[in-house]
Amino acid sequence: MYIIATTMFGLGTGGSIGQILVEKRQQRVVQTQSKQR
């Protein structure tokens, strides 16, 4: 039971961190595009 709980918690935190990284990358792309224009 503890193993299942820890794996689910790990996947949840990993997924949220991954989403934050993707959002930061998208923001950087938008900033670079606006500078080029």
Side-chain angles (χ1 to χ4, degrees):
M1 289 299 291
Y2 285 114
I3 295 164
I4 293 164
T6 48
T7 47
M8 289 298 288
F9 182 74
L11 286 169
T13 50
S16 60
I17 289 164
Q19 283 184 342
I20 290 163
L21 288 171
V22 169
E23 284 177 4
K24 282 185 179 178
R25 285 181 187 172
Q26 286 178 348
Q27 285 178 353
R28 284 181 186 172
V29 169
V30 170
Q31 286 178 353
T32 50
Q33 283 179 349
S34 60
K35 283 181 182 177
Q36 286 176 353
R37 290 179 187 171

